Amino acid sequence: MPGSERSYGAYLEARERDGLRRGLTGIEARDARTIRIGGEAYVNFASNDYLALRFHPALINRAEAWSEEHGVGSGASRLVTGNLDLFAGIESKVAALKQKPAALIMASGFQANASVLQALFDRSVLGAEPLVFSDRLNHASIHFGCAASGAREIRYRHGDAAHLGVLLSQYQGDGRPRFILTESVFSMDGDVAPLAEIGRLAREQHAMLIVDDAHATGILGGGGRGLSGEADIVIGTFSKALGGFGAYIACSDTLREYLINRCTGLIYSTALPPPVLGAIDAALDLVRSLDAERAHVASLAERFRLGARALGYDTGASTTQIVPLIAGSNHAALSLGKRLGDAGFFATAIRPPTVPAGTARLRLAFTAAHTEVDIEGLLNALDDRALPRSATA
Ligand SMILES: Cc1ncc(COP(=O)(O)O)c(C=O)c1O
């Protein structure tokens, strides 16, 4: 056996010992509310399908229709022959939703952050090394994109515009190009960045503001527009509230053209296939009309947050459809997940490095498919004195 194989094995053993080993679980899903694992049914509180669009007939029908008409694959990258004329209509719908001059579709949110940031922070194009101010809890794909560009991230305290202001002022008079990077809704905390203050700082300091609107698009903001109004560049995904797959960048016309010429994730990857584009197109047609669904999800999440806090759980700074139950240790988060599982509810334990050490948690997400009865059942399952609490973890 090569020595490297032994090293990988040792890594896995150490992860196991520390309660950090990850594994893939086979899931059966036939609707947006429940899943089956090993024949057992669970109410699914771990899905990002916030509007329950995954099983919506409009999305399924257009995915089927476009696949029959245009085939199941796009056949090439967008710069070769994969740029089917379907893209233009979708990109103008995204630009309209995001109120930006232009939009560009890419394969996934991870790929977009990884390669768009790399392209934007290219010092040979900018003429100097950029100053990149980044919320320390930004998604792994954002940190990955920064690392790929070689730009050093100057990390500010999570959600702390005052700290960002201090860091920006430390570089006052420094002529290098400045960027600020933040998520709108943080994926593991469900809290919202202080975007109005960050936007003001960006304008004052002549910084370009890039907002990852993955967890707000479709589910928050007027008409499901998201929360990225202050941003110069919005990066987002169709894989969460919009129910399908794929990513977008909403930006200026110049930036769109620049990315077509410089963004490796777009240039060297096959274009999204027609059925996926069909689902995206139908979701974009529906999204503005889903106010009732958005209100339902917000009210379920609020009911849960109040109930969980009354039971002594730490829900952090969540104000959205994502509500963490912060358990502390990895084992406490895993055992809280198991206890909910025994009661028929599925939630994933999120552990470091996805979240900071000592803040392992269950990440619960509420969707339009959940009912008030589901929330009462979940709270009842948590109202068990034997369950681990943040105070005792
Ligand atoms: C904030 C954020 N950005 C990007 C992504 C990646 O998106 P995708 O799942 O489309 O790759 C995610 C989801 O995991 C996310 O939470």
Side-chain angles (χ1 to χ4, degrees):
M1 186 200 290
S4 47
E5 185 79 19
R6 266 193 300 279
S7 306
Y8 304 138
Y11 172 84
L12 290 173
E13 280 163 27
R15 300 298 281 181
E16 184 74 43
R17 214 172 34 244
D18 297 338
L20 287 172
R21 183 158 173 172
R22 302 175 199 253
L24 293 173
T25 304
I27 304 281
E28 207 187 305
R30 297 277 185 275
D31 61 63
R33 178 176 161 271
T34 55
I35 48 174
R36 293 184 85 83
I37 302 173
E40 295 290 327
Y42 300 87
V43 181
N44 183 5
F45 283 103
S47 161
N48 299 319
D49 180 20
Y50 306 125
L51 290 169
L53 289 183
R54 234 167 359 136
F55 286 90
H56 196 291
L59 275 71
I60 294 172
N61 290 342
R62 206 165 302 171
E64 279 176 1
W66 284 21
S67 127
E68 270 177 28
E69 255 177 79
H70 306 281
V72 294
S74 57
S77 72
R78 291 189 66 181
L79 283 161
V80 182
T81 56
N83 191 39
L84 307 176
D85 53 10
L86 306 171
F87 278 97
I90 297 177
E91 286 176 343
S92 65
K93 288 178 191 178
V94 173
L97 183 70
K98 290 292 171 186
Q99 300 177 321
K100 294 281 177 239
L104 185 67
I105 292 189
M106 289 184 55
S108 78
F110 190 100
Q111 191 192 60
N113 277 328
S115 60
V116 168
L117 298 180
Q118 182 190 29
L120 293 177
F121 303 153
D122 185 337
R123 81 186 69 176
S124 69
V125 174
L126 295 170
E129 188 189 347
L131 295 169
V132 178
F133 299 87
S134 172
D135 188 294
R136 65 181 288 270
L137 292 193
N138 276 337
H139 191 257
S141 55
I142 296 178
H143 298 312
F144 187 95
C146 292
S149 74
R152 185 173 68 87
E153 279 179 86
I154 304 164
R155 294 191 186 187
Y156 59 91
R157 285 196 289 271
H158 173 57
D160 190 341
H163 188 222
L164 170 62
V166 169
L167 292 177
L168 281 162
S169 63
Q170 283 172 5
Y171 291 86
Q172 202 82 45
D174 184 313
R176 287 178 284 177
R178 297 157 172 237
F179 296 86
I180 301 172
L181 279 177
T182 185
E183 293 178 38
S184 52
V185 171
F186 284 84
S187 58
M188 296 300 142
D189 291 82
D191 57 344
V192 179
L195 291 163
E197 286 155 87
I198 294 177
R200 186 180 49 75
L201 284 169
R203 284 188 297 279
E204 275 170 21
Q205 301 278 340
H206 307 291
M208 188 171 256
L209 175 57
I210 306 171
V211 173
D212 181 332
D213 213 20
H215 293 278
T217 300
I219 186 73
L220 295 171
R225 189 180 305 128
L227 299 177
S228 54
E230 296 283 342
D232 299 296
I233 302 175
V234 189
I235 300 182
T237 168
F238 300 111
S239 65
K240 310 211 188 281
L242 295 175
F245 186 73
Y248 64 84
I249 294 91
C251 56
S252 67
D253 289 307
T254 304
L255 244 148
R256 180 176 185 276
E257 285 302 305
Y258 172 68
L259 291 173
I260 291 168
N261 283 276
R262 181 67 189 84
C263 179
T264 52
L266 179 93
I267 299 168
Y268 299 110
S269 191
T270 299
L272 280 182
V276 171
L277 294 174
I280 294 173
D281 193 60
L284 289 168
D285 286 348
L286 267 178
V287 68
R288 284 173 219 263
S289 68
L290 300 177
D291 281 345
E293 285 78 358
R294 284 185 276 274
H296 175 66
V297 174
S299 119
L300 294 181
E302 184 62 5
R303 167 77 195 99
F304 176 75
R305 241 184 327 265
L306 292 175
R309 283 180 190 156
L311 292 171
Y313 287 91
D314 179 359
T315 59
S318 159
T319 55
T320 65
Q321 75 283 359
I322 301 166
V323 186
L325 292 178
I326 302 172
S329 73
N330 303 330
H331 292 290
L334 289 169
S335 80
L336 188 54
K338 174 155 186 344
R339 295 294 296 266
L340 283 188
D342 291 344
F345 301 105
F346 190 86
T348 315
I350 309 287
R351 294 159 285 163
T354 308
V355 292
T359 70
R361 65 197 62 190
L362 286 191
R363 175 193 185 270
L364 294 149
F366 298 90
T367 79
H370 292 134
T371 64
E372 281 164 23
V373 174
D374 292 333
I375 307 307
E376 294 317 313
L378 184 61
L379 286 168
N380 280 341
L382 289 166
D383 189 7
D384 173 342
R385 303 294 148 187
L387 287 178
R389 301 287 156 89
S390 55
T392 56

